[in-house]
Amino acid sequence: MAFMVKHVVGGQLKNLTGGLGEEKPEAEKTDAAAQGMTQEEFEQYQQQLEEEKQEREANFAQKKAERATVRSHFRDKYRLPKNETDETQIQQAGDDVVLPTELAKMIAEDGQEEASKQSVFGHLSNIQNVDMDQLKDKAQATLEDLKKQTENCSLM
């Protein structure tokens, strides 16, 4: 209620008095005073904010470069066309781009899986209805038979 009276009567009272004894409007106060700081404290605060912003931007650029590195790795692996934006992000980050350890482990595991798939046993495991254990047992038995035969051979 008092607010309403002050609002209605206050504006008319200021017009009548001509604005004598008027305080500075809020817009004219300095930013430092508005936040309850001295000018030096405010400048230090602004400098700290700027440093934090630059640090966040640097971390963000580093993460972008790491992601671009992973993407370019998979592009190379699957022989896909290269993306120039990824290359520029990696170059902007410089030589500081290091894959996270978890991703490096995943890539190493992928490489091992690829190597095993490229081996003879990897191709055989892709064929359906092939019992790998039975096949290995037969191969070992055959090798043992060959060894016994070569031991008995008089030429060798």
Side-chain angles (χ1 to χ4, degrees):
M1 179 78 172
F3 173 75
M4 292 294 290
V5 171
K6 184 178 178 183
H7 181 67
V8 171
V9 177
Q12 294 173 355
L13 187 61
K14 283 184 184 178
N15 288 340
L16 184 63
T17 60
L20 297 175
E22 205 174 75
E23 291 184 24
K24 290 182 180 178
E26 291 292 324
E28 291 181 14
K29 290 184 180 179
T30 64
D31 291 334
Q35 294 185 0
M37 298 182 211
T38 63
Q39 189 64 28
E40 289 177 14
E41 290 174 339
F42 184 72
E43 288 173 3
Q44 288 176 349
Y45 175 71
Q46 289 295 332
Q47 183 179 7
Q48 182 183 9
L49 287 177
E50 185 65 29
E51 289 172 1
E52 289 174 358
K53 180 181 177 185
Q54 289 175 353
E55 185 177 332
R56 281 193 310 272
E57 288 175 355
N59 288 338
F60 181 67
Q62 177 70 23
K63 292 290 182 182
K64 282 175 63 174
E66 287 175 359
R67 291 184 203 112
T69 303
V70 171
R71 286 192 300 269
S72 66
H73 167 76
F74 284 116
R75 281 193 178 95
D76 292 341
K77 180 179 176 181
Y78 295 112
R79 297 180 186 104
L80 298 172
K82 293 186 179 185
N83 189 349
E84 292 184 24
T85 57
D86 287 346
E87 297 297 326
T88 56
Q89 287 176 354
I90 293 170
Q91 289 174 356
Q92 286 175 352
D95 294 332
D96 298 337
V97 179
V98 178
L99 287 178
T101 55
E102 296 172 1
L103 290 175
K105 287 179 186 177
M106 288 173 53
I107 290 171
E109 289 172 1
D110 285 346
Q112 290 173 353
E113 288 176 15
E114 287 291 322
S116 68
K117 285 182 181 178
Q118 290 177 354
S119 69
V120 174
F121 288 115
H123 287 294
L124 288 176
S125 66
N126 289 337
I127 300 172
Q128 294 180 352
N129 301 328
V130 174
D131 186 13
M132 290 301 295
D133 293 330
Q134 184 182 13
L135 188 62
K136 286 180 184 178
D137 291 340
K138 284 183 181 179
Q140 287 177 351
T142 305
L143 284 175
E144 289 174 8
D145 288 341
L146 287 174
K147 285 181 184 178
K148 286 180 185 177
Q149 290 176 1
T150 56
E151 288 175 4
N152 294 336
C153 181
S154 61
L155 293 176
M156 294 193 166

